[in-house]
Amino acid sequence: MHQVIELKGVAKRYDSAGAAPVLGPLTLRVAKGEALAVTGPSGSGKSTLLNLVAGLDKPTEGAVTVAGRRIDQLSEHALAKFRREHIGMAFQFFNLLDDLTVTDNIQLPAQLTGTSRRKAAARAGELMEMLGIQKHARAYPGRLSGGERQRVAVARALVNRPALLLADEPTGALDTVSGHDVRNLLMELHRAGQTIVLVTHDLSLAEACASRSIHLVDGHVALDSYAQAVR
Amino acid sequence: MILFGTAAMGRVVRSGLGRRRVQTAVIAVATMMAVASAVVAGSLMVAAAAPFDHAFGKQQGAHITAQFDPAKAGAAQLAETGKLAGVTASAGPYPSTAFRPVDQGGFQLPTLTLVGRSGPDGDVDRVDLKSGRWAQKPGEIVLDASFEGPAIGIGAGLKASHTANAPTLSVVGFAVSASKTADSWATPAQVDALASEDSPSTVQMLYRFDSASTKERILADRKKLAASVGSGALLGTQSWLDTKRAADQGAAATVPFVMAFGMLGILMSVIIVSSVISGAVGTSLRRIGILKAIGFTPREVVRAYMAQALIPAGAGIALGVVLGNLLAVPLLADTEAVYGTVSLSVAWWVDVTVPVAALVIVGLAALIPALRAGRLRTVEAIAVGRSPRTGRGQWAHRAMGMLPLPRPVTYGLATPFTHPVRTLAMLLAVAFGTVAATFAVGLTSSLTAVGTSQDPEGRAAVTVTTTKLNNVAPPPPPPAGGSAAKPSPAGGSVASPSELKVADPAKVRSAITSQAGTSSYYGKAQTEVAVAGASGSVQASLYDGDSRSGGYEMISGHWITGTGQVVVPTRFLERTSTKVGDKVRVTYEKETANLRIVGESFDTSGSQLEIHMDMANFASAEPSTFLVEVKTGLSADEYAQKVGAVIRPLGGDATTNAPSGQEGVILIMSAMAVLLTLMLVSVAGLGVLNSVVLDTRERIHDLGVCKAIGMSPRQTMSLVLSSVTAIGVMGGLIGVPAGYALHSLVMPVMGRAVGTTMPSPVLDVYEPVQLLLLGLGGVVIAVLGALIPAGWAAGARTATALRTE
């Protein structure tokens, strides 16, 4: 099976060389179309893992390969280029740009790749329709509900048709109803074949959306549902 | 830190200063620059007035120095003039004459006014004896202190003229008259003995009036004097206002532009300080909320934020005072030269007033945002610090998003609209920086034009003289109020004819015309003439041939084109109450000509009046110098050698003209302008830096988001830089016309300070391309100021930026 993510002996230390790593050493593979949920208590290394996969951070040791490319050795410029072409990200607090309209927020990653405004607008329209937010196209994020904002964030993450969608606590800042909406959205995306890595505290969300889950404790995989299934 | 309150507050202030190192440095540098400019401007203003006024007051200087014809006004009648209404004191009558002595080296000094006085004291003009003693018997002379030097000292002998039987006078002292009533003094009997048919004895009277502060009052007082004696008895007068202006002009010319820079500096520091503190408050809302939550009173918060402005400002002000004193030294030294031994330094009260005023201004600038910090409600401050931004500038993002430019650029272009006040501060900083640069470019161009226009002889490639160049006397001491005359072949006094071989001008002319490389030439002689209506001798340049290439810049009228014409400086018109078009009667040796004033020359060469005429007006005049232009492509050195080889055996000489060096004052002013501009432009750049740092810090989370979704470091950099580009363009569009206007305003004021108006070549110095480049200078200031924070934003770690609140 084609691997979208491949981590080999990856470890991350923030302190001096002798200190214990906050993550790993860790070896992990995520196949195309797989939805991996990463769970674990605070400080277990979930966000660090996500940052390493997104190329926002570099491992202290080991190799990170995403979409067939080893990203831990790329320059900042190459990483940015790689990210906008292959990775989409949705965050707990949405991280939408308040100054831009919904459409402009969604179009932004496409425009950064040099896609024409017409094409970017067409793709944004398509996603807004798919996610049911087209009526907010000209609105600013500050006027939307949490669920709607997260839909906008997901639309933005998908605008460049990334190989991988990373979602960091996507329902963490939402009320129950909105959280349910987002859960359904992720399930739909997974069904459509989108590879997803979902970091969450919410075990029910992990269970509903993910085809596989790993549980991190102190930077190590304490439980891997895939491994269990294989056994 | 206890000064500002408790130790806890000291810690808060220290941490605030430490967290905003860039802004702290910006406040310090901005105030330093403003204070330095203000100290220089203040010192020069004091220097421009104080020494003369002090010396004039101490000596009971003469408001009017009057020369009377002794044949038409007797001693008793003159003594009665001292009792006229308005006259508060008078002195005289003193016999007076003019003579041109020759020193022991054979060099002839300029024509000196000699006054016979039995002592230096009196009710008016108490002459200050600087060295030696007063003349007590015939054969002794006291000279103006400006003549004292290696060539002439106490005990030196001066021949009264270059004639063989002229008496020799012994120099017994050197003295200074603030009113410049004479160049030399002797006993009355000696003056009478030296008077001749060519230089008859006149009588000098000195007056002080109860009202003599304006030109109009002086004219009215003069009328009173003229009316009190018979017609034609009053030969001429000298006003103390002219003497004061001549004495002050070195520093006075500098004051307007230094003041302009000082004002710019103060305005910029006010903008920057208020912007920095507003920014500090704006970006620290949460911090302010927390401070209040843990028990800081509103007053303590105000004090904490005031301290964060006043501490760096205090350091900047202290440094500014030191820098200002250092910068003032060369300019004051130039002024000091005018007063001989009068010592000039920065007035103590300038060193006190300027920093105190700066501290008050900075304090007020910081007070408003600090009060805002103090008034913020605790809950509100914490909440505002965390909530999403308001919708300011969203329309701009929408509008800019439609531009056919890369998205990071359009995003950056819209950014300034998010913080209109901060943007305005940045815009003003860039505009003021551009104003300073535009003004300085114009000022230095104008000063260069002034320097060039004051050395018309320097434009010729080769100077050919009828005497050997090494026979030219060293420059005479500086005339009152003016700079030293240049040692010029045409201008110097030469050894007496008995000792000197002079080439026949006709042969020199023939040698020049027969040279193949001669393109054009004109002859020139410098001499003294008498002009009816002008007291004392008048310097004259007589031109032989087409002298247009060596002409002065004209303020009005035109350069001489033939006989019957004379070109005069502004001061001549003022002193003789004439105008262009009037006729004047000029006497050169025994010849007299009635000449029409055809032009007003631009001449800043001190108090001397120099007029320009065609040599053909006076049959006996002959050129002593020829100024030659050589044909294109020919070496001036080679030409000078060839002509020199022909005329040296005749007694003449030839030399190339070195590019004209600028006068000291002009050089100092240009250097000051460049220095002050660099400081202002740096401060403008720092102002931009401060604003962009604030902006970038505030937006670091958004930038992190952009980077997370794929914005490359280069795109991030272009986003930040484009956010200041429009401000740079606007700043340039505002700053260039404002700088242009400032130049148009200040140059005429500087001209008036030295007693002239400015001709268009000195005022119209800007080229369209230059203005365009200066406009782009606004963009350069803005981009350079934003470069560091842009680099910081581009290099910031995305994960860290995303975690930033």
Side-chain angles (χ1 to χ4, degrees):
Chain A
M1 194 187 288
H2 178 65
Q3 304 298 332
V4 174
I5 301 170
E6 190 168 9
L7 273 61
K8 280 188 188 165
V10 167
K12 179 70 185 177
R13 283 186 187 84
Y14 287 114
D15 299 318
S16 54
V22 292
L23 182 72
L26 187 75
T27 296
L28 181 72
R29 286 189 184 85
V30 178
K32 186 169 187 270
E34 203 173 354
L36 172 72
V38 182
T39 59
S42 293
S44 61
K46 302 189 296 294
S47 293
T48 303
L49 173 63
L50 198 77
N51 286 343
L52 291 174
V53 172
L56 300 178
D57 211 344
K58 292 194 174 179
T60 315
E61 55 194 71
V64 181
T65 305
V66 178
R69 190 147 179 212
R70 187 159 170 192
I71 64 168
D72 56 287
Q73 291 172 334
L74 294 179
S75 68
E76 277 301 311
H77 179 81
L79 268 174
K81 201 161 175 278
F82 176 83
R83 225 169 14 242
R84 69 190 174 211
E85 285 168 1
H86 301 286
I87 296 173
M89 294 186 80
F91 305 89
Q92 179 179 1
F93 293 106
F94 329 120
N95 283 341
L96 296 172
L97 299 171
D98 296 330
D99 302 327
L100 304 186
T101 63
V102 165
T103 307
D104 286 341
N105 263 289
I106 297 170
Q107 285 185 134
L108 187 57
Q111 289 176 313
L112 290 176
T113 64
T115 307
S116 73
R117 196 183 325 185
R118 192 176 54 79
K119 280 189 182 166
R123 172 68 177 150
E126 189 184 303
L127 284 166
M128 283 189 285
E129 196 176 337
M130 187 178 109
L131 300 175
I133 47 174
Q134 64 271 46
K135 63 180 176 187
H136 301 303
R138 294 171 67 85
Y140 288 92
R143 297 190 167 208
L144 305 184
S145 71
E148 287 164 338
R149 281 192 231 178
Q150 197 56 287
R151 280 174 179 271
V152 175
V154 171
R156 183 180 66 183
L158 297 176
V159 73
N160 284 336
R161 296 189 170 86
L164 176 63
L165 172 65
L166 302 176
D168 187 2
E169 301 281 8
T171 59
L174 301 179
D175 57 44
T176 314
V177 177
S178 299
H180 196 74
D181 275 358
V182 171
R183 175 190 298 194
N184 290 340
L185 171 61
L186 291 173
M187 285 165 66
E188 279 169 34
L189 288 171
H190 175 47
R191 274 199 292 274
Q194 176 69 50
T195 309
I196 300 171
V197 173
L198 166 68
V199 169
T200 182
H201 277 98
D202 184 349
L203 293 178
S204 65
L205 175 71
E207 207 172 298
C209 300
S211 54
R212 174 188 169 194
S213 64
I214 59 171
H215 187 73
L216 293 182
V217 176
D218 295 335
H220 294 279
V221 178
L223 187 71
D224 185 340
S225 63
Y226 174 74
Q228 274 189 329
V230 170
R231 257 184 245 128
Chain B
M1 224 52 78
I2 299 297
L3 178 71
F4 294 100
T6 61
M9 204 206 307
R11 189 169 289 276
V12 168
V13 171
R14 271 200 302 276
S15 85
L17 291 172
R19 274 174 0 115
R20 281 184 287 275
R21 282 187 293 272
V22 173
Q23 288 94 327
T24 301
V26 168
I27 292 179
V29 174
T31 46
M32 178 188 77
M33 190 264 140
V35 167
S37 302
V39 167
V40 173
S43 308
L44 287 171
M45 277 192 279
V46 174
F52 179 85
D53 292 344
H54 180 72
F56 189 82
K58 191 179 147 217
Q59 293 187 2
Q60 290 287 299
H63 290 134
I64 286 183
T65 303
Q67 299 292 335
F68 292 95
D69 183 344
K72 293 180 179 171
Q77 194 182 2
L78 291 175
E80 282 301 307
T81 58
K83 295 173 187 165
L84 288 171
V87 176
T88 55
S90 67
Y94 302 127
S96 168
T97 190
F99 78 126
R100 200 167 180 200
V102 178
D103 75 6
Q104 288 162 319
F107 295 116
Q108 197 164 22
L109 271 63
T111 302
L112 305 182
T113 306
L114 178 69
V115 170
R117 284 172 64 164
S118 53
D121 296 330
D123 290 342
V124 182
D125 190 33
R126 294 169 189 162
V127 175
D128 196 2
L129 197 61
K130 291 289 174 190
S131 59
R133 59 171 175 80
W134 198 253
Q136 288 166 353
K137 57 180 193 267
E140 293 180 345
I141 189 169
V142 173
L143 287 177
D144 186 278
S146 60
F147 288 95
E148 189 170 15
I152 306 174
I154 303 281
L158 289 180
K159 271 182 80 178
S161 73
H162 60 69
T163 55
N165 58 349
T168 297
L169 305 170
S170 173
V171 178
V172 295
F174 290 96
V176 168
S177 161
S179 324
K180 299 290 169 200
T181 55
D183 303 309
S184 55
W185 297 267
T187 59
Q190 179 65 73
V191 174
D192 289 334
L194 280 181
S196 65
E197 195 182 321
D198 288 344
S199 247
S201 177
T202 60
V203 173
Q204 185 184 73
M205 284 292 293
L206 309 174
Y207 301 96
R208 284 180 67 82
F209 291 89
D210 55 4
S211 174
S213 55
T214 64
K215 196 173 156 185
E216 289 69 32
R217 289 302 314 159
I218 291 287
L219 279 174
D221 293 334
R222 187 187 186 281
K223 268 188 183 170
K224 258 187 266 178
L225 289 175
S228 68
V229 291
S231 170
L234 180 61
L235 298 171
T237 57
Q238 177 181 297
S239 160
W240 78 288
L241 293 174
D242 286 335
T243 313
K244 174 178 163 60
R245 189 173 60 190
D248 291 345
Q249 67 182 12
T254 324
V255 170
F257 94 85
V258 180
M259 272 183 75
F261 276 112
M263 289 295 288
L264 280 175
I266 288 166
L267 281 171
M268 279 179 83
S269 36
V270 167
I271 291 163
I272 286 168
V273 168
S274 43
S275 156
V276 167
I277 301 301
S278 295
V281 172
T283 53
S284 309
L285 292 176
R286 215 173 143 239
R287 193 163 180 264
I288 292 167
I290 292 168
L291 287 179
K292 289 186 162 184
I294 62 171
F296 273 73
T297 65
R299 193 171 295 175
E300 283 170 333
V301 170
V302 172
R303 282 216 298 270
Y305 278 83
M306 286 288 287
Q308 287 176 48
L310 291 179
I311 288 170
I317 286 168
L319 287 171
V321 170
V322 174
L323 185 63
N325 277 261
L326 290 175
L327 286 174
V329 166
L331 289 169
L332 290 173
D334 185 70
T335 311
E336 196 173 319
V338 174
Y339 301 97
T341 55
V342 176
S343 174
L344 291 176
S345 57
V346 177
W348 68 267
W349 59 266
V350 171
D351 276 346
V352 172
T353 311
V354 170
V356 167
L359 212 56
V360 169
I361 292 170
V362 171
L364 286 174
L367 187 62
I368 296 165
L371 283 174
R372 187 180 148 228
R375 275 200 301 267
L376 276 173
R377 287 178 54 221
T378 309
V379 176
E380 198 178 82
I382 294 175
V384 170
R386 279 179 160 167
S387 69
R389 284 193 306 276
T390 59
R392 272 188 310 214
Q394 287 174 336
W395 65 269
H397 280 280
R398 217 167 35 235
M400 298 296 171
M402 284 187 249
L403 293 174
L405 292 168
R407 193 65 180 107
V409 173
T410 57
Y411 193 96
L413 286 174
T415 304
F417 297 93
T418 312
H419 288 289
V421 175
R422 190 180 299 162
T423 300
L424 183 67
M426 206 178 344
L427 177 66
L428 288 175
V430 175
F432 279 124
T434 315
V435 168
T438 308
F439 176 51
V441 165
L443 184 70
T444 47
S445 303
S446 291
L447 291 174
T448 305
V450 170
T452 310
S453 68
Q454 296 311 299
D455 185 23
E457 280 177 27
R459 292 177 211 148
V462 176
T463 299
V464 182
T465 57
T466 56
T467 58
K468 287 280 194 300
L469 287 169
N470 58 6
N471 280 337
V472 174
S483 54
K486 282 198 345 177
S488 140
S493 302
V494 295
S496 61
S498 58
E499 300 159 17
L500 185 65
K501 187 177 177 186
V502 180
D504 179 357
K507 288 182 180 168
V508 175
R509 187 184 290 112
S510 164
I512 293 169
T513 49
S514 60
Q515 276 296 322
T518 306
S519 171
S520 65
Y521 75 96
Y522 65 91
K524 187 174 180 181
Q526 279 198 300
T527 185
E528 287 181 345
V529 294
V531 179
S535 58
S537 63
V538 173
Q539 286 285 321
S541 287
L542 306 177
Y543 298 87
D544 176 28
D546 184 356
S547 60
R548 279 174 299 182
S549 62
Y552 277 69
E553 294 293 351
M554 302 305 294
I555 294 167
S556 62
H558 62 81
W559 186 248
I560 50 173
T561 55
T563 55
Q565 301 177 355
V566 61
V567 165
V568 301
T570 310
R571 284 182 308 282
F572 181 94
L573 296 176
E574 284 175 358
R575 285 199 195 173
T576 57
S577 301
T578 50
K579 58 185 185 304
V580 174
D582 287 353
K583 279 198 162 184
V584 288
R585 191 178 172 81
V586 181
T587 302
Y588 166 69
E589 295 190 342
K590 304 242 188 282
E591 296 178 72
T592 297
N594 285 318
L595 306 177
R596 188 173 299 284
I597 302 172
V598 294
E600 180 184 356
S601 61
F602 174 58
D603 184 353
T604 62
S605 55
S607 59
Q608 267 190 331
L609 300 178
E610 184 175 2
I611 63 174
H612 311 270
M613 301 163 287
D614 196 304
M615 201 173 281
N617 289 309
F618 306 101
S620 62
E622 285 191 324
S624 56
T625 310
F626 292 88
L627 288 310
V628 185
E629 274 305 329
V630 298
K631 284 183 176 162
T632 314
L634 193 75
S635 155
D637 279 325
E638 205 178 306
Y639 179 93
Q641 276 174 14
K642 280 184 185 170
V643 175
V646 178
I647 61 164
R648 263 183 218 111
L650 305 173
D653 213 341
T655 184
T656 51
N657 283 327
S660 123
Q662 290 187 351
E663 275 187 58
V665 174
I666 290 179
L667 272 178
I668 289 171
M669 283 201 271
S670 299
M672 289 267 308
V674 170
L675 187 66
L676 291 170
T677 304
L678 284 177
M679 286 166 75
L680 276 176
V681 168
S682 307
V683 170
L686 287 172
V688 174
L689 172 70
N690 158 60
S691 297
V692 180
V693 164
L694 283 175
D695 221 48
T696 310
R697 274 202 183 143
E698 243 178 57
R699 302 187 74 86
I700 192 64
H701 182 262
D702 281 0
L703 289 172
V705 171
C706 288
K707 292 173 90 167
I709 62 173
M711 188 174 279
S712 68
R714 201 174 299 158
Q715 286 174 319
T716 311
M717 193 120 176
S718 65
L719 186 155
V720 177
L721 292 182
S722 56
S723 73
V724 297
T725 307
I727 292 170
V729 171
M730 285 294 292
L733 287 174
I734 296 167
V736 170
Y740 187 98
L742 188 63
H743 176 263
S744 308
L745 191 77
V746 170
M747 283 311 294
V749 177
M750 289 173 73
R752 279 197 290 280
V754 292
T756 183
T757 45
M758 296 282 185
S760 60
V762 173
L763 291 176
D764 304 333
V765 289
Y766 293 103
E767 298 288 339
V769 177
Q770 216 172 19
L771 291 174
L772 186 70
L773 288 174
L774 285 165
L776 290 175
V779 181
V780 173
I781 292 172
V783 168
L784 285 180
L787 216 47
I788 294 171
W792 176 68
R797 288 184 61 233
T798 311
T800 312
L802 281 171
R803 279 199 299 272
T804 311
E805 269 191 42

